[in-house]
Amino acid sequence: MRSPVLPLTWHLARSSGRRGLQSQLLAAGAAAVGAFVLLVMIAACAGSGTRADRTAWRSPEPARDGTAVQALATTYVRHEPLTVVSLAQLPGRPPTPAPPGLAAFPRQGDMYVSPALAKLLDRLPARQLADRFPRVREYGTIGAAGLASPDELVAVVGRDPADPALSEAAADSASWFDEDQAARAVVAGFSSGKVSLATAPDRTMALLGVVLLGMPVMVLAAAAGRLGAARREQRLAALRLAGATPRQILAMTALEAAAVGAAGALTGALAYLALLPILARVPYGIGSWYTAELWVGLPWLAAVAAAVTVLITVSSVSMLRQVATSPLGVAQQADPRRTRWIRAAVFVAAMACVFRSTGGGELKTRQLLGLLVLFYGAFWLFGPWVVDRLGRIVGRFARRPATLLAARRLSDDPRGAWRTVSGLVLAGFAAGFFSVSQIGADAAQYRDQVAVITESGAQARHTAAEARAALARSGVTATVTVAGEDEFGNLLAGSPGLIVRISGGSGGTEHLDTAVTALTPLARVHAPYTRDYATAYERASIDRIGEVSTATLALSFLVATASAGLTAAANVLDRRRVYGLLRLAGTPLQVLDRARARETVLPLVVLAGGTTAMGVYGSYQLNKAVGATIDATGALQLAACVVVGALAMVAAIGAGRPLLRRVTADPARTTD
């Protein structure tokens, strides 16, 4: 016998009226947002791995039967890294294959540049950039296969094997700050597994964002499944009383929720596909993306759509188990379960475990992610306890009816209030700390300085006169001093050479770039470098964490806004009987609306705002301890993100006001 579940579900969905259609559209929209956010974060992880692979060829891998000499050097222009790969074919050896992105192995005198570098060479005066390289008639172009980003600055220079830039002295006279920025070896190809410093931390930081956003997306899916539960309660309870079995009731709910969730998830996937070219323009790390790097593939696309659909379906089914088992008690009120002190004890124990584990030295990526999950889980357990206590404290000191009602709702349902703002709590702390951090990388004492390494102190004294003359010809006013090999408090960090201090900082970056270019011919074994070079290793990780933290906070606000709007709508429908009784008791509609808004605003301000402020304060204190300053740009980005996100959440909550007005329009009927 054919099951009536499918046709009956379709009939009920079509005849659900305008309210039912609105609920379904909102739930589908929530599924679309969740799928879109997950796909974007997965794309960032996959794209970061592809980026790293595309930079590995630049680090020379020593080979026993090498055929060419390769040297890696890094210089900076406009405070952006410029990677220079020098290559020379060894005589009498088999031909060396072409590097990725090049049509052929460069001959002596050839020079290939990335498209972004070609534009910069045309825009800047030669004395600021082009004079750092050998003069060539025409530049070749490095293809996308050899670049991590369309904005990356890369140059490949073909040289003679005897060129000083390829000598063993170039590797022996390395600076203290050379880690992953300079190297030299005899190679047989370009299959190195060591990624560039500019892309090394990208994937780990993207995984951090996925972990931080995973739980908020689950909360959003649960809120989408909950939306319309009150409407389905009455409809399915009637069917249950008419003879439908519990299995049929749950199957009908699952079918409807799965259809809505699948439609929304597919819409989010299509939005991700349509917005790929725009997403590729969003800078991360070294710059924007190639569109193909952000394509996750059909398997991931299907997996995300299925996961979001399953979450919404499970949430919807779990909300209606009362209907299936007790159709006459769908309006039964259960006593609220208080949170217990054990949550606080477990939180303290988990935090102690995290701090003890992070204090023992360097950790691997998997260990860091594991500790992050533990950290998140501890907060997830602790959050409802804090909301419960917050509701009790606010209720004790409340002076207005709306505040008193909101406090009572917080203490009655602390888990629901916590779920709405949970994603913002951890994202806010991370963004608050890292977006304004300059820890370990301020190096203010190196400002407006250029270091030139020489082979010995005697050569440094001889080169000093040449440096003064070269700077004078370039129009740069500077003082040149010779640093000894036992001096470690300067930019040379113990290497013999010169320290050039540029006078009158009004010239800014232009004078600094001009000085580096003028000194390049004098630096025979190591390119001149500035503070950017000295702080690159530390800033590579700190900047990525700051970018990911701010982006995660922005996406968390997007998810939380959708979740808050859906939760507010669902709460109005679920509490329509309570609202009706309050209206019959004479409570003004405005008071109910204010209480509804404060249920979300109070945890948002106290928890999410508190952790964000704690992150900023902690970063400020650490910066102050090491003599660094607050990153003003990061602070402005954080402030803009918080203000816009908070306004969006308030607007989403306010969108439920018409629904509250309709639900309480006839309070006598609502409470029946």
Side-chain angles (χ1 to χ4, degrees):
M1 181 177 178
R2 184 180 177 185
S3 173
V5 171
L6 184 58
L8 186 56
T9 302
W10 172 245
H11 172 74
L12 292 176
R14 285 192 306 167
S15 60
S16 59
R18 187 174 61 179
R19 181 186 296 181
L21 179 60
Q22 290 174 345
S23 298
Q24 291 167 354
L25 290 176
L26 287 173
V33 172
F36 176 79
V37 170
L38 282 180
L39 286 171
V40 168
M41 297 308 299
I42 293 172
C45 290
S48 298
T50 304
R51 276 183 163 188
D53 293 339
R54 288 185 175 181
T55 62
W57 67 272
R58 303 168 196 170
S59 300
E61 184 73 23
R64 181 178 302 176
D65 300 321
T67 59
V69 183
Q70 178 183 357
L72 169 69
T74 306
T75 185
Y76 284 78
V77 57
R78 293 293 189 269
H79 300 296
E80 296 295 328
L82 194 168
T83 303
V84 182
V85 180
S86 298
L87 295 170
Q89 176 71 39
L90 291 175
R93 305 288 178 88
T96 307
L102 274 66
F105 189 89
R107 296 173 298 179
Q108 181 180 351
D110 291 344
M111 183 172 170
Y112 294 82
V113 298
S114 62
L117 179 57
K119 294 179 182 178
L120 198 60
L121 286 167
D122 291 338
R123 189 170 73 248
L124 295 181
R127 60 189 178 88
Q128 292 184 20
L129 179 58
D131 289 346
R132 302 183 192 185
F133 304 106
R135 295 186 179 274
V136 296
R137 184 176 302 176
E138 184 179 4
Y139 296 118
T141 301
I142 303 175
L147 300 173
S149 166
D151 302 328
E152 194 176 18
L153 305 179
V154 182
V156 179
V157 183
R159 301 183 185 272
D160 185 270
D163 193 291
L166 294 171
S167 65
E168 294 185 7
D172 295 338
S173 301
S175 165
W176 173 267
F177 309 107
D178 279 349
E179 189 169 2
D180 296 332
Q181 297 191 88
R184 183 262 186 198
V186 177
V187 301
F190 303 94
S191 58
S192 173
K194 190 173 185 179
V195 301
S196 167
L197 174 64
T199 60
D202 288 2
R203 188 168 188 177
T204 301
M205 297 303 108
L207 284 172
L208 169 67
V210 171
V211 172
L212 289 175
L213 281 172
M215 192 58 70
V217 170
M218 293 179 63
V219 172
L220 177 60
R226 184 183 176 189
L227 189 64
R231 174 183 57 84
R232 288 194 295 265
E233 271 184 353
Q234 295 178 344
R235 186 183 66 187
L236 296 178
L239 290 173
R240 179 75 175 93
L241 291 172
T245 65
R247 180 177 298 180
Q248 289 174 330
I249 293 296
L250 295 178
M252 292 172 63
T253 303
L255 282 174
E256 182 180 353
V260 172
L266 290 176
T267 301
L270 291 176
Y272 156 76
L273 288 174
L275 295 175
L276 266 181
I278 298 177
L279 293 173
R281 298 179 184 176
V282 178
Y284 174 56
I286 57 176
S288 59
W289 306 76
Y290 289 106
T291 303
E293 293 175 342
L294 294 180
W295 167 238
V296 298
L298 289 177
W300 273 113
L301 209 67
V304 169
V308 173
T309 302
V310 169
L311 285 172
I312 290 179
T313 303
V314 171
S315 175
S316 297
V317 171
S318 64
M319 291 296 297
L320 294 178
R321 295 189 66 86
Q322 179 75 17
V323 177
T325 57
S326 179
L328 292 176
V330 293
Q332 180 181 356
Q333 297 293 326
D335 293 333
R337 292 183 298 172
R338 298 296 186 185
T339 55
R340 301 179 179 179
W341 282 94
I342 188 64
R343 291 175 176 266
V346 172
F347 175 78
V348 172
M351 291 298 99
C353 178
V354 170
F355 287 124
R356 185 173 64 252
S357 300
T358 55
E362 187 174 355
L363 298 175
K364 296 181 179 179
T365 301
R366 291 183 179 179
Q367 293 173 317
L368 288 173
L369 291 177
L371 290 175
L372 181 61
V373 171
L374 177 62
F375 186 71
Y376 207 137
F379 260 99
W380 187 260
L381 190 66
F382 184 57
W385 184 86
V386 177
V387 174
D388 189 1
R389 268 61 190 176
L390 174 64
R392 298 185 192 186
I393 293 173
V394 172
R396 182 177 301 173
F397 296 99
R399 293 293 180 268
R400 296 179 181 274
T403 306
L404 182 61
L405 287 172
R408 178 57 188 268
R409 289 305 310 169
L410 289 178
S411 59
D412 283 350
D413 186 20
R415 296 171 185 84
W418 162 251
R419 284 193 295 266
T420 304
V421 300
S422 59
L424 297 173
V425 170
L426 291 184
F429 180 82
F433 185 88
F434 291 107
S435 62
V436 300
S437 177
Q438 299 251 32
I439 299 173
D442 184 60
Q445 68 271 26
Y446 303 148
R447 189 180 185 89
D448 296 326
Q449 293 185 20
V450 182
V452 181
I453 293 179
T454 58
E455 296 180 358
S456 64
Q459 185 183 8
R461 288 186 290 272
H462 175 73
T463 307
E466 298 178 359
R468 295 185 183 96
L471 292 169
R473 288 194 300 269
S474 299
V476 178
T477 303
T479 58
V480 180
T481 58
V482 177
E485 298 184 26
D486 56 346
E487 298 180 20
F488 293 91
N490 53 40
L491 199 56
L492 289 168
S495 299
L498 309 175
I499 295 293
V500 178
R501 294 177 173 84
I502 299 174
S503 305
S506 59
T509 303
E510 291 78 9
H511 280 186
L512 196 64
D513 290 338
T514 302
V516 171
T517 305
L519 296 170
T520 296
L522 307 180
R524 298 175 178 83
V525 296
H526 193 289
Y529 60 90
T530 62
R531 177 178 62 169
D532 296 319
Y533 189 92
T535 59
Y537 188 81
E538 293 171 325
R539 290 252 45 113
S541 296
I542 294 175
D543 288 346
R544 292 306 178 279
I545 294 177
E547 291 174 4
V548 168
S549 299
T550 304
T552 301
L553 182 62
L555 290 175
S556 295
F557 265 117
L558 173 64
V559 174
T561 298
S563 180
L566 289 174
T567 302
N571 286 341
V572 169
L573 295 175
D574 291 345
R575 303 172 190 166
R576 64 194 184 283
R577 184 173 180 272
V578 176
Y579 285 137
L581 291 173
L582 288 172
R583 290 286 287 125
L584 286 174
T587 306
L589 182 63
Q590 189 176 16
V591 172
L592 297 179
D593 186 51
R594 289 176 179 174
R596 185 180 62 87
R598 290 174 189 179
E599 288 179 38
T600 302
V601 172
L602 282 174
L604 176 66
V605 173
V606 175
L607 296 178
T611 54
T612 303
M614 286 170 57
V616 173
Y617 180 75
S619 178
Y620 169 75
Q621 291 297 328
L622 287 176
N623 285 346
K624 184 178 179 181
V626 299
T629 57
I630 288 291
D631 186 353
T633 302
L636 289 176
Q637 291 176 349
L638 175 65
C641 181
V642 169
V643 171
V644 173
L647 291 177
M649 287 196 68
V650 172
I653 298 170
R657 189 176 296 113
L659 180 60
L660 176 64
R661 186 179 298 111
R662 284 201 303 271
V663 167
T664 58
D666 189 358
R669 181 179 178 183
T670 301
T671 58
D672 187 8

